[in-house]
Amino acid sequence: MVSAMKEAVGRVAFDLKRQSVRDLNQFLHGDLSEVREVVVENPDGAHSLAVGVNAPVHVEICGHAGYYAAGMNKEATVQVRGNAGPGVAENMMSGHVEVGGFASGGAGASAHGGLLVIRGDAGLRCGISLKGADIVVGGDVGSFSAFMAQAGRMVVCGDAGDGLGDSLYEAVIYVRGKVRSLGADARLEPMKDEDHGAVRALLAAAGIAHSSAEFKRIASARALYHWNADANQTY
Amino acid sequence: MPTRLTDEPPAHLQLEESASFDRHIIHYIQRAAATGLYEIRGLGAKRRVPHFDDLVFLGASLSRYPLEGYREKCSSETVLGTRFAKRPVKLDIPITIAGMSFGALSANVKEALGRAATEMGTSTTTGDGGMTAEERRSSKTLVYQCLPSRYGFNPDDLRKADAIEVVIGQGAKPGGGGMLLGQKVSPRVAAMRTLPEGVDQRSASRHPDWTGPDDLAIKIKELREITDWQTPIYVKVGATRVFHDVKLAVHAGADVVVVDGMQGGTAATQWAFIEHVGIPSLAAVRQAVDALEDLNKKEEVQLIVSGGIRTGADVAKALALGADAVSIGQGVLVALGCNSNSYVQDGEQVSAAADYHKLGTAAGFCHHCQTGQCPVGVTTQDPILEQRLQPAVGARRVRNYLKTLNMELTMIARACGKQDVHHLEREDLVALTIEAAAIAGVPLAGTTWIPGRN
Ligand code: SF4
């Protein structure tokens, strides 16, 4: 991008006061073989920052992001040095997305792979429809988190709201704090060795220090996997 | 109270059937009492609703000039997605193939549809299960659905798509999520959807990362950003409050709005949903056109209508009412052999009667797609049954069907004096029933009366 300021080899800065989100994303979809790092200044809560990136580049968003930051990310490392709006890292396939502050609703929605780290709290429906990605939340998660989560793991270092893990498939949730209520078909299960290992590895990847012994495991009771009259299914 | 009798009963039996509790309803109640579960079935609404059949064209005569049927050209070229997308979809015919999932359909069927559509210069659409390699290979123009479930949804396939269809709902079940019963969740289907094999899959009815029309606008922008504003974005709604929904879809930034009426099919949905939720396609198309005209967007945003489009006459009527294209699901399945007594294996007709019987039905009545035991190999994941539909045979039949529809369409357009099928207009139509006249907003035949409008 001609207008992008090349400060040093491999480092490109975008100032969203003067450049558009379109410019940023178009650049991120181009040939990034020479680019190591893209810095986004003055993001000012703009939507769709660094979406559809398909390369192992490092993107730093210096401030708050709006909806869908790092949406559909593949391979890239995206850091939001602020809060993120709804759907951060939605449908991520791989890579690493980190939110320094809080994340709004639907964080990591339907993400297939990669790691999403939220240092603060996450809002409603964190990890909804999760399809294989890992999510680590340093604080609390809102209600209806991991709704219909199909695969992947979610580690919550704080508390969880109502209806956690409603209609879970094969995703597994680890919670350190209190769970206000579990959703339909979600149940507490004993922590096994592999669970401790998983929690330790995910916390290490996120750079958060807690003991895995403080976490409990929540997974699907699998009672809704097949229709039958006596399960009183409401759908 | 009139008495309805079954065929020639003995005279001494009292057989007074209740209109409210007829045999159909008695069977329904007894089934419910026995199972404690609603009935789930395939295809679309079976009851009679006001439809395109209730309209006829006013061909040219003295006041209008017809085109010579075989000599004068009548174009059916169709361009979709001209509003914001840099790369609109260009089709040779205004008849597209509706979204049907790999999972609901076999991979062979998906391939057959792709081949037929490519030959005819039209598009196919993925479904609630992601894009298969077979389909991408065989279909020159492929519309990629973004559904609430997001099964198999990924940026690589998104970038390969020729158009993106954000599915809010479908005509068979507006407000409902997808369903695929365990017998169809084969290892490959399960892997594509990230589900355990054999699970009775019920998918979400709301998108996971947005709620409401304001969010949808932001979501659409995200999809545009990911695809660098190249790819047209359709928004598909099941027909309910069509006037408002179409306006909201336009405000949210859709290039194309797809409206699916209640006759639209499904692979598996609750019976009561199919028959009792949503409005007929005839009503939907008129409301959709009214909405676009109200916004002065008729020339900018294209409209695709689906749900119960079967014939070239249906296509012509939908276009005359203001649609830019139609989308066909069930008609295409029937062309492939759905509800046919036999299937073709290496050029030979083989009877499927016994297999319909096993499902408790017969050719002509089947709606048992949910079982995965399709007697003609169309809606199945069974490795043996799916062989009954050979891609080459299926592709030829679907191509022939689409060809026939387009010939009928251009024939009608010429008879109405149009050099382009998109020149068909509301003024070319009249209605045969008062209901259809009121719903479609065209005069009752032989009168100038449009009920509710003049
Ligand atoms: S014949 Fe096959 S496709 Fe047609 S209704 Fe029966 S099961 Fe469905």
Side-chain angles (χ1 to χ4, degrees):
Chain A
M1 183 74 25
V2 218
S3 51
M5 224 182 1
K6 284 215 177 185
E7 290 174 358
V9 182
R11 187 170 187 277
V12 179
F14 275 83
D15 184 347
L16 292 190
K17 270 219 168 91
R18 289 179 286 118
Q19 290 163 287
S20 66
V21 172
R22 184 78 285 272
D23 294 338
L24 169 69
N25 286 322
Q26 190 74 58
F27 176 79
L28 288 170
H29 299 163
D31 178 9
L32 297 178
S33 51
E34 305 281 286
V35 180
R36 257 184 312 103
E37 194 183 7
V38 176
V39 180
V40 181
E41 281 149 12
N42 297 306
D44 224 7
H47 304 316
S48 305
L49 293 173
V51 294
V53 183
N54 191 14
V57 65
H58 187 103
V59 181
E60 191 172 326
I61 298 170
C62 306
H64 302 313
Y67 280 54
Y68 310 129
M72 299 200 101
N73 183 51
K74 257 183 98 179
E75 297 189 52
T77 300
V78 180
Q79 265 183 307
V80 180
R81 301 227 177 269
N83 301 328
V88 60
E90 66 84 19
N91 220 107
M92 170 164 58
M93 304 305 291
S94 61
H96 184 136
V97 175
E98 193 172 317
V99 179
F102 297 103
S104 181
S110 208
H112 289 64
L115 173 67
L116 168 63
V117 178
I118 297 158
R119 303 228 164 260
D121 299 334
L124 300 175
R125 295 183 291 272
C126 179
I128 181 174
S129 229
L130 193 66
K131 290 179 173 61
D134 293 319
I135 301 180
V136 179
V137 181
D140 303 337
V141 294
S143 295
F144 317 116
S145 286
F147 173 65
M148 292 187 99
Q150 296 168 233
R153 298 167 297 183
M154 202 163 123
V155 175
V156 181
C157 300
D159 302 336
D162 278 315
L164 179 67
D166 195 286
S167 307
L168 262 184
Y169 287 99
E170 298 292 294
V172 180
I173 311 166
Y174 302 100
V175 183
R176 183 163 154 271
K178 291 190 290 292
V179 174
R180 203 170 321 132
S181 66
L182 290 174
D185 215 25
R187 67 174 183 199
L188 280 169
E189 291 182 351
M191 290 281 288
K192 296 199 183 120
D193 285 349
E194 61 252 37
D195 295 307
H196 287 287
V199 171
R200 274 197 295 271
L202 288 167
L203 288 173
I208 295 176
H210 288 301
S211 161
S212 71
E214 299 173 66
F215 286 81
K216 44 195 164 287
R217 172 190 157 103
I218 290 144
S220 176
R222 299 177 183 158
L224 297 183
Y225 277 23
H226 299 282
W227 269 288
N228 75 76
D230 299 321
N232 283 328
Q233 295 152 112
T234 45
Y235 47 80
Chain B
M1 172 85 210
T3 305
R4 275 201 275 154
L5 296 180
T6 53
D7 30 331
E8 299 195 42
H12 64 278
L13 293 182
Q14 269 205 335
L15 296 171
E16 187 182 355
E17 187 164 38
S18 163
S20 302
F21 288 82
D22 62 9
R23 276 163 288 174
H24 177 77
I25 285 291
I26 289 169
H27 177 256
Y28 156 80
I29 294 173
Q30 288 174 346
R31 190 196 164 283
T35 62
L37 279 179
Y38 40 52
E39 186 195 346
I40 294 166
R41 70 162 170 88
L43 302 189
K46 287 196 163 188
R47 57 145 109 206
R48 187 180 142 69
V49 295
H51 199 25
F52 294 114
D53 284 339
D54 303 322
L55 305 178
V56 287
F57 277 101
L58 302 174
S61 76
L62 270 178
S63 54
R64 301 272 174 112
Y65 215 62
L67 260 63
E68 287 295 348
Y70 297 100
R71 268 166 262 134
E72 288 177 292
K73 203 174 145 27
C74 177
S75 166
S76 60
E77 267 166 42
T78 301
V79 184
L80 302 170
T82 54
R83 187 184 186 192
F84 294 122
K86 289 188 193 142
R87 218 181 46 208
V89 163
K90 296 199 175 90
L91 305 175
D92 295 338
I93 61 173
I95 309 163
T96 66
I97 296 182
M100 293 177 279
S101 74
F102 166 70
L105 306 184
S106 70
N108 278 357
V109 170
K110 279 304 224 180
E111 190 185 332
L113 296 182
R115 280 156 71 165
T118 300
E119 242 187 282
M120 289 301 297
T122 190
S123 61
T124 64
T125 312
T126 63
D128 198 5
M131 185 190 287
T132 63
E134 289 94 329
E135 189 172 20
R136 181 59 281 189
R137 255 199 321 271
S138 62
S139 187
K140 179 170 164 272
T141 307
L142 181 55
V143 183
Y144 187 40
Q145 289 191 327
C146 173
L147 291 127
S149 72
R150 305 284 166 89
Y151 292 139
F153 197 64
N154 72 76
D156 297 331
D157 289 342
L158 191 73
R159 286 184 275 261
K160 281 186 218 150
D162 299 294
I164 301 161
E165 182 169 287
V166 179
V167 179
I168 316 299
Q170 74 184 85
K173 47 176 156 184
M179 257 188 189
L180 196 68
L181 298 190
Q183 49 271 43
K184 292 176 91 167
V185 184
S186 69
R188 184 173 174 203
V189 171
M192 276 181 73
R193 300 183 186 209
T194 325
L195 288 171
E197 259 177 68
V199 77
D200 284 331
Q201 167 238 302
R202 69 270 189 252
S203 47
S205 58
R206 291 200 301 251
H207 283 258
D209 54 352
W210 62 270
T211 31
D214 297 336
D215 279 9
L216 175 59
I218 304 171
K219 183 70 198 172
I220 287 178
K221 279 241 177 66
E222 185 211 10
L223 294 170
R224 291 205 191 276
E225 282 296 320
I226 294 172
T227 53
D228 294 327
W229 292 72
Q230 299 284 321
T231 316
I233 298 186
Y234 304 1
V235 171
K236 176 176 177 174
V237 294
T240 56
R241 296 172 184 85
V242 176
F243 185 74
H244 298 295
D245 287 346
V246 167
K247 282 190 159 187
L248 291 171
V250 171
H251 282 308
D255 291 307
V256 174
V257 182
V258 184
V259 178
D260 190 24
M262 73 180 287
Q263 301 102 310
T266 169
T269 296
Q270 300 91 329
W271 159 86
F273 225 143
I274 298 176
E275 296 287 357
H276 293 280
V277 184
I279 64 170
S281 302
L282 184 65
V285 59
R286 184 58 212 253
Q287 285 205 307
V289 171
D290 284 350
L292 292 175
E293 285 176 348
D294 210 53
L295 293 171
N296 211 4
K297 293 281 185 210
K298 187 74 190 70
E299 302 307 315
E300 211 178 302
V301 176
Q302 284 81 40
L303 172 68
I304 302 180
V305 169
S306 58
I309 305 279
R310 308 145 301 170
T311 65
D314 288 345
V315 181
K317 290 169 189 174
L319 263 52
L321 286 173
D324 294 282
V326 300
S327 217
I328 300 187
Q330 283 170 94
V332 159
L333 298 188
V334 173
L336 286 168
C338 160
N339 270 299
S340 158
N341 238 320
S342 58
Y343 56 92
V344 180
Q345 287 289 277
D346 305 320
E348 300 284 320
Q349 297 278 342
V350 184
S351 171
D355 292 306
Y356 282 106
H357 197 80
K358 258 194 250 162
L359 290 176
T361 186
F365 303 94
C366 187
H367 56 217
H368 293 56
C369 316
Q370 81 285 358
T371 63
Q373 298 298 307
C374 177
V376 290
V378 175
T379 53
T380 183
Q381 289 296 317
D382 183 289
I384 294 167
L385 287 174
E386 75 174 1
Q387 299 307 320
R388 293 185 179 180
L389 193 278
Q390 297 175 322
V393 177
R396 194 172 60 244
R397 294 181 58 97
V398 172
R399 182 205 62 193
N400 287 347
Y401 174 54
L402 294 176
K403 207 175 215 169
T404 306
L405 295 192
N406 205 55
M407 281 165 63
E408 288 176 350
L409 166 64
T410 52
M411 180 273 293
I412 288 172
R414 284 194 183 95
C416 293
K418 319 290 192 207
Q419 289 174 322
D420 187 316
V421 296
H422 299 290
H423 295 165
L424 284 166
E425 55 197 325
R426 212 177 288 153
E427 285 64 35
D428 294 321
L429 289 170
V430 292
L432 299 176
T433 67
I434 295 173
E435 280 123 326
I439 290 171
V442 301
L444 186 65
T447 78
T448 55
W449 182 40
I450 305 176
R453 295 196 192 225
N454 62 2

PDB file of all heavy atoms in Angstrom, chain B residues 298-319:
ATOM      1  N   LYS B 298     -35.694  -0.879  -7.090  1.00  0.00           N
ATOM      2  CA  LYS B 298     -36.017  -1.988  -7.984  1.00  0.00           C
ATOM      3  C   LYS B 298     -34.930  -2.217  -9.030  1.00  0.00           C
ATOM      4  O   LYS B 298     -34.661  -3.357  -9.408  1.00  0.00           O
ATOM      5  CB  LYS B 298     -37.377  -1.700  -8.646  1.00  0.00           C
ATOM      6  CG  LYS B 298     -37.938  -2.820  -9.480  1.00  0.00           C
ATOM      7  CD  LYS B 298     -38.478  -3.970  -8.649  1.00  0.00           C
ATOM      8  CE  LYS B 298     -38.798  -5.179  -9.507  1.00  0.00           C
ATOM      9  NZ  LYS B 298     -37.615  -5.869 -10.045  1.00  0.00           N
ATOM     10  N   GLU B 299     -34.305  -1.151  -9.481  1.00  0.00           N
ATOM     11  CA  GLU B 299     -33.291  -1.296 -10.531  1.00  0.00           C
ATOM     12  C   GLU B 299     -31.918  -1.642  -9.951  1.00  0.00           C
ATOM     13  O   GLU B 299     -31.009  -2.018 -10.659  1.00  0.00           O
ATOM     14  CB  GLU B 299     -33.167   0.003 -11.345  1.00  0.00           C
ATOM     15  CG  GLU B 299     -34.460   0.457 -12.003  1.00  0.00           C
ATOM     16  CD  GLU B 299     -35.094  -0.636 -12.851  1.00  0.00           C
ATOM     17  OE1 GLU B 299     -34.362  -1.298 -13.619  1.00  0.00           O
ATOM     18  OE2 GLU B 299     -36.318  -0.853 -12.732  1.00  0.00           O
ATOM     19  N   GLU B 300     -31.778  -1.489  -8.644  1.00  0.00           N
ATOM     20  CA  GLU B 300     -30.464  -1.601  -8.031  1.00  0.00           C
ATOM     21  C   GLU B 300     -30.275  -2.942  -7.313  1.00  0.00           C
ATOM     22  O   GLU B 300     -29.186  -3.521  -7.320  1.00  0.00           O
ATOM     23  CB  GLU B 300     -30.352  -0.466  -7.011  1.00  0.00           C
ATOM     24  CG  GLU B 300     -28.981   0.079  -6.793  1.00  0.00           C
ATOM     25  CD  GLU B 300     -29.018   1.227  -5.799  1.00  0.00           C
ATOM     26  OE1 GLU B 300     -29.742   2.227  -6.050  1.00  0.00           O
ATOM     27  OE2 GLU B 300     -28.378   1.103  -4.757  1.00  0.00           O
ATOM     28  N   VAL B 301     -31.339  -3.384  -6.671  1.00  0.00           N
ATOM     29  CA  VAL B 301     -31.282  -4.626  -5.891  1.00  0.00           C
ATOM     30  C   VAL B 301     -32.109  -5.674  -6.635  1.00  0.00           C
ATOM     31  O   VAL B 301     -33.253  -5.429  -6.988  1.00  0.00           O
ATOM     32  CB  VAL B 301     -31.875  -4.396  -4.480  1.00  0.00           C
ATOM     33  CG1 VAL B 301     -31.924  -5.695  -3.695  1.00  0.00           C
ATOM     34  CG2 VAL B 301     -31.080  -3.342  -3.738  1.00  0.00           C
ATOM     35  N   GLN B 302     -31.507  -6.838  -6.875  1.00  0.00           N
ATOM     36  CA  GLN B 302     -32.246  -7.873  -7.593  1.00  0.00           C
ATOM     37  C   GLN B 302     -33.037  -8.751  -6.622  1.00  0.00           C
ATOM     38  O   GLN B 302     -32.655  -8.904  -5.466  1.00  0.00           O
ATOM     39  CB  GLN B 302     -31.291  -8.732  -8.417  1.00  0.00           C
ATOM     40  CG  GLN B 302     -30.801  -8.045  -9.686  1.00  0.00           C
ATOM     41  CD  GLN B 302     -29.665  -7.079  -9.432  1.00  0.00           C
ATOM     42  OE1 GLN B 302     -28.776  -7.364  -8.628  1.00  0.00           O
ATOM     43  NE2 GLN B 302     -29.689  -5.926 -10.096  1.00  0.00           N
ATOM     44  N   LEU B 303     -34.110  -9.299  -7.149  1.00  0.00           N
ATOM     45  CA  LEU B 303     -35.001 -10.138  -6.348  1.00  0.00           C
ATOM     46  C   LEU B 303     -35.059 -11.540  -6.935  1.00  0.00           C
ATOM     47  O   LEU B 303     -35.312 -11.713  -8.130  1.00  0.00           O
ATOM     48  CB  LEU B 303     -36.408  -9.517  -6.339  1.00  0.00           C
ATOM     49  CG  LEU B 303     -37.517 -10.363  -5.706  1.00  0.00           C
ATOM     50  CD1 LEU B 303     -37.309 -10.511  -4.200  1.00  0.00           C
ATOM     51  CD2 LEU B 303     -38.892  -9.743  -5.979  1.00  0.00           C
ATOM     52  N   ILE B 304     -34.801 -12.522  -6.088  1.00  0.00           N
ATOM     53  CA  ILE B 304     -34.956 -13.923  -6.490  1.00  0.00           C
ATOM     54  C   ILE B 304     -36.119 -14.496  -5.683  1.00  0.00           C
ATOM     55  O   ILE B 304     -36.204 -14.289  -4.471  1.00  0.00           O
ATOM     56  CB  ILE B 304     -33.680 -14.746  -6.203  1.00  0.00           C
ATOM     57  CG1 ILE B 304     -32.481 -14.144  -6.937  1.00  0.00           C
ATOM     58  CG2 ILE B 304     -33.873 -16.207  -6.594  1.00  0.00           C
ATOM     59  CD1 ILE B 304     -31.166 -14.886  -6.713  1.00  0.00           C
ATOM     60  N   VAL B 305     -37.002 -15.192  -6.368  1.00  0.00           N
ATOM     61  CA  VAL B 305     -38.150 -15.786  -5.683  1.00  0.00           C
ATOM     62  C   VAL B 305     -38.046 -17.294  -5.769  1.00  0.00           C
ATOM     63  O   VAL B 305     -37.681 -17.846  -6.816  1.00  0.00           O
ATOM     64  CB  VAL B 305     -39.465 -15.282  -6.313  1.00  0.00           C
ATOM     65  CG1 VAL B 305     -40.648 -16.078  -5.806  1.00  0.00           C
ATOM     66  CG2 VAL B 305     -39.649 -13.802  -6.007  1.00  0.00           C
ATOM     67  N   SER B 306     -38.345 -17.956  -4.679  1.00  0.00           N
ATOM     68  CA  SER B 306     -38.339 -19.416  -4.694  1.00  0.00           C
ATOM     69  C   SER B 306     -39.497 -19.943  -3.864  1.00  0.00           C
ATOM     70  O   SER B 306     -40.150 -19.198  -3.142  1.00  0.00           O
ATOM     71  CB  SER B 306     -37.002 -19.946  -4.159  1.00  0.00           C
ATOM     72  OG  SER B 306     -36.775 -19.467  -2.853  1.00  0.00           O
ATOM     73  N   GLY B 307     -39.703 -21.235  -3.966  1.00  0.00           N
ATOM     74  CA  GLY B 307     -40.818 -21.868  -3.243  1.00  0.00           C
ATOM     75  C   GLY B 307     -41.936 -22.239  -4.197  1.00  0.00           C
ATOM     76  O   GLY B 307     -42.767 -21.410  -4.539  1.00  0.00           O
ATOM     77  N   GLY B 308     -41.934 -23.478  -4.662  1.00  0.00           N
ATOM     78  CA  GLY B 308     -43.040 -23.961  -5.490  1.00  0.00           C
ATOM     79  C   GLY B 308     -42.978 -23.523  -6.937  1.00  0.00           C
ATOM     80  O   GLY B 308     -43.987 -23.549  -7.638  1.00  0.00           O
ATOM     81  N   ILE B 309     -41.794 -23.126  -7.418  1.00  0.00           N
ATOM     82  CA  ILE B 309     -41.638 -22.829  -8.857  1.00  0.00           C
ATOM     83  C   ILE B 309     -41.405 -24.167  -9.555  1.00  0.00           C
ATOM     84  O   ILE B 309     -40.458 -24.880  -9.238  1.00  0.00           O
ATOM     85  CB  ILE B 309     -40.426 -21.900  -9.099  1.00  0.00           C
ATOM     86  CG1 ILE B 309     -40.516 -20.631  -8.266  1.00  0.00           C
ATOM     87  CG2 ILE B 309     -40.259 -21.625 -10.597  1.00  0.00           C
ATOM     88  CD1 ILE B 309     -41.381 -19.549  -8.807  1.00  0.00           C
ATOM     89  N   ARG B 310     -42.283 -24.505 -10.495  1.00  0.00           N
ATOM     90  CA  ARG B 310     -42.204 -25.828 -11.115  1.00  0.00           C
ATOM     91  C   ARG B 310     -42.058 -25.773 -12.620  1.00  0.00           C
ATOM     92  O   ARG B 310     -41.403 -26.596 -13.235  1.00  0.00           O
ATOM     93  CB  ARG B 310     -43.479 -26.629 -10.790  1.00  0.00           C
ATOM     94  CG  ARG B 310     -43.805 -26.679  -9.313  1.00  0.00           C
ATOM     95  CD  ARG B 310     -45.310 -26.658  -9.079  1.00  0.00           C
ATOM     96  NE  ARG B 310     -45.908 -25.468  -9.648  1.00  0.00           N
ATOM     97  CZ  ARG B 310     -47.214 -25.251  -9.770  1.00  0.00           C
ATOM     98  NH1 ARG B 310     -48.076 -26.142  -9.345  1.00  0.00           N
ATOM     99  NH2 ARG B 310     -47.660 -24.143 -10.319  1.00  0.00           N
ATOM    100  N   THR B 311     -42.745 -24.805 -13.246  1.00  0.00           N
ATOM    101  CA  THR B 311     -42.862 -24.794 -14.706  1.00  0.00           C
ATOM    102  C   THR B 311     -42.300 -23.491 -15.275  1.00  0.00           C
ATOM    103  O   THR B 311     -42.079 -22.520 -14.541  1.00  0.00           O
ATOM    104  CB  THR B 311     -44.343 -24.877 -15.107  1.00  0.00           C
ATOM    105  OG1 THR B 311     -44.995 -23.676 -14.642  1.00  0.00           O
ATOM    106  CG2 THR B 311     -45.032 -26.078 -14.481  1.00  0.00           C
ATOM    107  N   GLY B 312     -42.142 -23.487 -16.605  1.00  0.00           N
ATOM    108  CA  GLY B 312     -41.733 -22.256 -17.268  1.00  0.00           C
ATOM    109  C   GLY B 312     -42.763 -21.156 -17.077  1.00  0.00           C
ATOM    110  O   GLY B 312     -42.426 -19.970 -17.000  1.00  0.00           O
ATOM    111  N   ALA B 313     -44.030 -21.549 -16.978  1.00  0.00           N
ATOM    112  CA  ALA B 313     -45.085 -20.564 -16.749  1.00  0.00           C
ATOM    113  C   ALA B 313     -44.928 -19.942 -15.363  1.00  0.00           C
ATOM    114  O   ALA B 313     -45.111 -18.722 -15.193  1.00  0.00           O
ATOM    115  CB  ALA B 313     -46.456 -21.227 -16.888  1.00  0.00           C
ATOM    116  N   ASP B 314     -44.577 -20.759 -14.372  1.00  0.00           N
ATOM    117  CA  ASP B 314     -44.331 -20.207 -13.029  1.00  0.00           C
ATOM    118  C   ASP B 314     -43.203 -19.181 -13.069  1.00  0.00           C
ATOM    119  O   ASP B 314     -43.285 -18.110 -12.463  1.00  0.00           O
ATOM    120  CB  ASP B 314     -43.933 -21.318 -12.042  1.00  0.00           C
ATOM    121  CG  ASP B 314     -45.100 -22.229 -11.659  1.00  0.00           C
ATOM    122  OD1 ASP B 314     -46.263 -21.853 -11.914  1.00  0.00           O
ATOM    123  OD2 ASP B 314     -44.827 -23.311 -11.095  1.00  0.00           O
ATOM    124  N   VAL B 315     -42.141 -19.532 -13.798  1.00  0.00           N
ATOM    125  CA  VAL B 315     -40.997 -18.617 -13.890  1.00  0.00           C
ATOM    126  C   VAL B 315     -41.450 -17.310 -14.532  1.00  0.00           C
ATOM    127  O   VAL B 315     -41.159 -16.214 -14.034  1.00  0.00           O
ATOM    128  CB  VAL B 315     -39.851 -19.235 -14.727  1.00  0.00           C
ATOM    129  CG1 VAL B 315     -38.669 -18.271 -14.793  1.00  0.00           C
ATOM    130  CG2 VAL B 315     -39.411 -20.574 -14.148  1.00  0.00           C
ATOM    131  N   ALA B 316     -42.176 -17.434 -15.631  1.00  0.00           N
ATOM    132  CA  ALA B 316     -42.620 -16.242 -16.361  1.00  0.00           C
ATOM    133  C   ALA B 316     -43.491 -15.356 -15.466  1.00  0.00           C
ATOM    134  O   ALA B 316     -43.366 -14.127 -15.475  1.00  0.00           O
ATOM    135  CB  ALA B 316     -43.387 -16.658 -17.609  1.00  0.00           C
ATOM    136  N   LYS B 317     -44.352 -15.981 -14.677  1.00  0.00           N
ATOM    137  CA  LYS B 317     -45.241 -15.201 -13.807  1.00  0.00           C
ATOM    138  C   LYS B 317     -44.452 -14.513 -12.697  1.00  0.00           C
ATOM    139  O   LYS B 317     -44.709 -13.355 -12.360  1.00  0.00           O
ATOM    140  CB  LYS B 317     -46.331 -16.107 -13.234  1.00  0.00           C
ATOM    141  CG  LYS B 317     -47.330 -16.555 -14.308  1.00  0.00           C
ATOM    142  CD  LYS B 317     -48.245 -17.654 -13.801  1.00  0.00           C
ATOM    143  CE  LYS B 317     -49.070 -18.210 -14.964  1.00  0.00           C
ATOM    144  NZ  LYS B 317     -49.876 -19.377 -14.549  1.00  0.00           N
ATOM    145  N   ALA B 318     -43.490 -15.214 -12.139  1.00  0.00           N
ATOM    146  CA  ALA B 318     -42.669 -14.600 -11.093  1.00  0.00           C
ATOM    147  C   ALA B 318     -41.925 -13.391 -11.661  1.00  0.00           C
ATOM    148  O   ALA B 318     -41.859 -12.327 -11.035  1.00  0.00           O
ATOM    149  CB  ALA B 318     -41.684 -15.622 -10.524  1.00  0.00           C
ATOM    150  N   LEU B 319     -41.395 -13.547 -12.877  1.00  0.00           N
ATOM    151  CA  LEU B 319     -40.672 -12.438 -13.502  1.00  0.00           C
ATOM    152  C   LEU B 319     -41.626 -11.282 -13.819  1.00  0.00           C
ATOM    153  O   LEU B 319     -41.289 -10.110 -13.607  1.00  0.00           O
ATOM    154  CB  LEU B 319     -39.960 -12.915 -14.773  1.00  0.00           C
ATOM    155  CG  LEU B 319     -38.474 -13.271 -14.622  1.00  0.00           C
ATOM    156  CD1 LEU B 319     -38.209 -14.234 -13.502  1.00  0.00           C
ATOM    157  CD2 LEU B 319     -37.879 -13.759 -15.925  1.00  0.00           C
TER     158      LEU B 319
END
